[in-house]
Amino acid sequence: ASEFERYVNGQIPEDWAEVLPTFTPEDAGISTRKHSANILNYLSPVLPELIGGSADLTHSNLTELKDSGDFQKEHYENRNVHFGVREHAMGAICNGIALHNSGLIPYCATFLIFTDYVRASIRLSALSQAGVIWVTTHDSIGQGEDGPTHQPVETITSLRAIPNLTVIRPADGNECSGAYKLAIENAQSNLPTLLVFTRQNVPNLSGTSIEGVYKGAYTIFDCEGEPEIILIGTGSEVSLCVSAAEQLSNTGKKVRVVSMPCWEQFEAQSETYRESILPKTVTKRLSVEAGISLGWTKYVGSEGDTVSIDSFGASAPGKVCMEKFGFTVENIIAKAKILLG
């Protein structure tokens, strides 16, 4: 009875976030979709109000709650929902669960590219203030062999355009924990969050944090004094920025690396904080994201540049795709040197 009352009163346990894992660079790198899977299963026992699943991609999205069975006829106590191949209906169902005000926290999952099929439901979650957690995986050309039909290039930019939707593309395990912490808190405030995860492995980085995700953008590699150039990365490309910055620093260049998992959170910060991360006096800036360049001018300015992909991808192993389209340490260094003159 007390748990039911907690649900309907919209309360969650005070210590729920203590189960969120943190990582160091010594911890093995895995894909952020696997971090997502692990975090969901850390959260499931302490947040039994979590309920959701995937549009027939459970074992690719990795969204199964191991401590529960499948929600179906005669088994309404279970929390793994198999929605079938119907993304829009899946999203509509989750919106309904959120708006019912039962205290349940719904999540649903698909490949990032397939958000085009669920976009109307995502938009309505933002419009209707429905606290749904949208989980997306296979987030770039790094997804590989399925080819350009399955490789999102314009998708994340188009999702960032939806008002009241918080879009987070975490770089490693710490940022994945931060993404879920923010998503749960947003759900409590009747706000939707869309999480964007990789298929390929990424290293755990020095300087990343749960708190950094809340800032939207924060410095994870820096120099003494004012930097000559700022590298801004998201998701799997942040580690490339760090490697490039280390090599540039070894040649005497003053470089800062900013991880920017969430545009919306960064824009919500004070002007003072935003200026401390991206000083107006530092006009040499390079953004690195495996998506289209549209929108990045806001952060790199007229004297900056992007490492981006403004074409469709290709059918090849993910690593080959990333190299073919310039998402390499060498290309980042080359573009940075051009900016530095």
Side-chain angles (χ1 to χ4, degrees), residues 166 212-218 232 258-279 285 298-299:
T166 300
V213 174
Y214 279 69
K215 297 293 188 180
Y218 63 112
I232 310 168
V258 170
S259 177
M260 186 177 274
C262 183
W263 288 15
E264 295 81 15
Q265 286 293 115
F266 186 60
E267 293 301 323
Q269 304 308 308
S270 68
E271 183 177 352
T272 301
Y273 176 78
R274 286 183 277 127
E275 173 67 16
S276 74
I277 302 300
L278 299 175
R285 303 177 184 180
K298 180 175 186 178
Y299 298 115

Side-chain angles (χ1 to χ4, degrees), residues 141 286-294 296 305-311 325-327 331 335:
I141 57 171
L286 182 67
S287 68
V288 187
E289 182 175 69
I292 61 173
S293 58
L294 182 67
W296 278 107
D305 200 358
T306 68
V307 177
S308 52
I309 173 170
D310 289 305
S311 66
F325 290 101
F327 295 96
N331 189 45
K335 286 208 166 192

Side-chain angles (χ1 to χ4, degrees), residues 26-81:
E26 288 68 44
D27 294 312
I30 59 176
S31 66
T32 54
R33 68 167 173 159
K34 288 182 180 177
H35 280 302
S36 168
N38 294 336
I39 291 166
L40 273 172
N41 280 284
Y42 284 128
L43 291 173
S44 183
V46 298
L47 291 176
E49 52 265 60
L50 270 177
I51 181 170
S54 169
D56 206 34
L57 287 169
T58 299
H59 300 295
S60 292
N61 299 142
L62 306 181
T63 48
E64 183 179 16
L65 303 179
K66 305 297 185 183
D67 64 345
S68 180
D70 296 334
F71 180 89
Q72 56 187 318
K73 185 178 180 181
E74 308 302 334
H75 292 283
Y76 303 116
E77 76 281 5
N78 292 329
R79 296 182 288 136
N80 289 302
V81 183

Side-chain angles (χ1 to χ4, degrees), residues 162-212:
I162 298 175
N164 301 327
L165 179 67
T166 300
V167 180
I168 309 174
R169 187 174 185 239
D172 67 357
N174 290 325
E175 289 194 358
C176 286
S177 286
Y180 268 102
K181 187 171 188 291
L182 182 56
I184 295 294
E185 292 177 2
N186 279 350
Q188 292 299 107
S189 301
N190 302 317
L191 296 171
T193 307
L194 190 137
L195 309 178
V196 184
F197 299 118
T198 67
R199 179 195 188 191
Q200 71 274 27
N201 292 347
V202 295
N204 291 298
L205 301 169
S206 176
T208 57
S209 66
I210 290 174
E211 297 75 25

